[in-house]
C-alpha cells in the first residue's frame, strides 16, 4: 500500500469521525441558533482542523509499507489524534450553553464555564444545580428583596459577575413571564429598527402559523453575537430564538 492510499484511508475515517462530532455539537450540545452566538465556530474549526489534518498528515509522512515498527507508528498517530480530539471536545463541552436566563428586559446565554461549582450548588431547584448536556434550559433570574444583598449583587455585576451566573436567584421562567412582557417590544418595532429581519420573521410566522400581533421580542446576550427571543404576547412564553442581533 502506498503512503497516499494509507493517508486517504485515514482521512476517510477522520471525516466520518468529524461528521459524528458535528452531529453531537449541532444537534445536542449547541442546538440552533446558539452555536455561533456561543463562540462555537472558532472552536470547531480548530477541532476539525486537528482531526482532519493532523492524523492523515502524519500518516502521509511516516507511512511506508513493510517498514519495521510501522504498526507502532500508526498506533502512536492514533493516540496523538485521539488525544487532540478528546481535548478539543472537552474545551467545547465547557463552553456549551446550559441556561438562557431571563433578566428584567433581556435574556442571557450562560455557558457551562460561566458557572462555578459553589454557585451552582446554591440553585433552589435540582434543575438549577445541573449543567445541561442537551441544550440550554430557559429560566428567569429574580432580584433579591433585601437591600444589602441587592447592593452586593450590584458590586458583583460591576466586577463582571452579574445575576445570570448565580443560580441561587433562578426561578422557573413562568414565574417571571408576565414581568418580561412589560419590557418586550413588538415585531413592528423590530422590523423598523432591523429591516433585514423581515424575511426571517416572515418565514418564522408562516412556518408556525402565528399572527404578528401575537408575538413580541426581547434580546439575547451571548458571547459572540446577539440573538432575538420571540415571546407569546399574551402568556410571555418563550417561543423561539432567531439568529440575528436585534440591536
Amino acid at each position: 500500500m502506498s503512503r497516499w492510499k494509507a493517508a486517504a484511508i485515514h482521512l476517510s475515517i477522520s471525516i466520518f469521525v468529524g461528521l459524528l462530532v458535528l452531529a453531537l455539537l449541532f444537534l445536542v450540545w449547541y442546538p440552533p441558533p446558539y452555536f455561533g452566538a456561543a463562540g462555537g465556530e472558532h472552536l470547531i474549526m480548530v477541532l476539525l482542523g486537528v482531526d482532519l489534518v493532523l492524523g492523515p498528515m502524519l500518516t502521509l509522512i511516516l507511512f511506508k509499507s513493510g517498514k519495521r515498527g510501522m504498526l507502532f507508528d500508526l498506533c502512536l498517530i492514533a493516540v496523538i489524534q485521539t488525544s487532540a480530539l478528546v481535548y478539543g471536545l472537552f474545551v467545547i463541552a465547557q463552553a456549551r450553553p446550559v441556561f438562557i436566563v431571563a433578566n428584567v428586559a433581556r435574556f442571557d446565554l450562560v455557558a457551562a464555564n460561566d458557572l462555578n461549582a459553589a454557585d451552582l450548588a446554591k440553585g433552589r431547584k435540582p434543575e438549577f444545580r445541573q449543567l445541561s448536556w442537551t441544550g440550554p434550559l430557559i429560566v428567569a433570574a429574580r432580584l433579591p428583596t433585601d437591600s444589602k444583598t441587592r447592593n452586593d449583587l450590584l458590586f458583583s455585576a460591576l466586577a463582571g459577575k452579574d445575576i445570570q451566573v448565580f443560580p441561587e436567584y433562578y426561578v422557573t421562567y413562568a414565574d417571571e413571564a408576565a414581568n418580561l412582557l412589560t419590557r418586550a417590544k413588538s415585531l413592528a418595532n423590530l422590523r423598523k429598527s432591523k429591516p433585514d429581519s423581515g424575511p426571517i420573521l416572515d418565514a418564522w410566522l408562516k412556518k408556525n402559523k402565528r399572527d404578528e400581533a401575537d408575538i413580541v421580542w426581547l434580546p439575547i446576550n451571548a458571547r459572540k453575537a446577539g440573538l432575538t427571543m420571540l415571546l407569546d404576547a399574551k402568556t410571555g412564553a418563550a417561543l423561539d430564538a432567531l439568529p440575528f442581533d436585534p440591536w
Side-chain angles (χ1 to χ4, degrees):
M1 182 186 298
S2 71
R3 66 178 59 197
W4 290 100
K5 185 175 181 179
I9 293 173
H10 195 158
L11 179 61
S12 299
I13 296 172
S14 297
I15 290 174
F16 176 73
V17 173
L19 291 174
L20 293 179
V21 169
L22 287 176
L24 173 66
L25 298 185
F26 284 108
L27 301 179
V28 183
W29 291 357
Y30 291 79
Y34 302 113
F35 187 77
E41 292 176 347
H42 174 71
L43 295 174
I44 194 63
M45 289 292 288
V46 174
L47 178 64
L48 291 183
V50 169
D51 181 52
L52 299 180
V53 176
L54 177 63
M57 184 63 70
L58 289 174
T59 297
L60 180 63
I61 294 171
L62 298 177
F63 186 86
K64 184 178 181 181
S65 184
K67 173 185 174 182
R68 185 178 180 181
M70 192 67 253
L71 180 60
F72 174 80
D73 289 346
L74 292 176
C75 290
L76 182 60
I77 291 171
V79 169
I80 293 172
Q81 186 178 10
T82 301
S83 299
L85 181 63
V86 170
Y87 176 74
L89 283 174
F90 172 78
V91 173
I92 292 176
Q94 292 302 301
R96 74 188 186 279
V98 290
F99 291 107
I100 301 176
V101 184
N103 178 14
V104 184
R106 71 176 191 268
F107 290 81
D108 291 292
L109 189 62
V110 177
N113 55 9
D114 289 329
L115 302 165
N116 65 50
D119 291 329
L120 192 65
K122 296 177 182 178
R124 299 178 183 180
K125 293 186 176 182
E127 58 266 35
F128 302 158
R129 298 191 292 269
Q130 300 176 2
L131 299 177
S132 171
W133 287 96
T134 55
L137 174 67
I138 299 179
V139 300
R142 180 175 289 172
L143 288 170
T145 55
D146 65 286
S147 58
K148 182 181 183 304
T149 307
R150 278 183 178 246
N151 288 335
D152 291 343
L153 189 58
L154 174 60
F155 286 116
S156 177
L158 293 174
K161 193 174 179 181
D162 208 345
I163 191 171
Q164 67 268 17
V165 296
F166 291 104
E168 65 183 293
Y169 301 120
Y170 290 1
V171 296
T172 303
Y173 174 76
D175 293 342
E176 286 291 311
N179 292 330
L180 289 167
L181 279 180
T182 64
R183 304 296 184 94
K185 301 179 183 297
S186 69
L187 293 190
N189 172 281
L190 184 58
R191 289 181 187 273
K192 182 177 179 180
S193 62
K194 284 284 183 177
D196 293 345
S197 68
I200 299 176
L201 293 174
D202 291 338
W204 188 91
L205 291 169
K206 181 178 180 180
K207 177 183 177 181
N208 293 275
K209 300 179 180 179
R210 297 295 298 259
D211 189 283
E212 181 165 329
D214 296 331
I215 308 296
V216 292
W217 67 275
L218 284 173
I220 303 175
N221 288 337
R223 285 183 175 179
K224 297 298 183 181
L227 300 171
T228 301
M229 180 67 79
L230 301 185
L231 309 176
D232 187 290
K234 296 180 180 178
T235 66
L239 301 175
D240 205 354
L242 299 185
F244 62 86
D245 190 337
W247 303 121

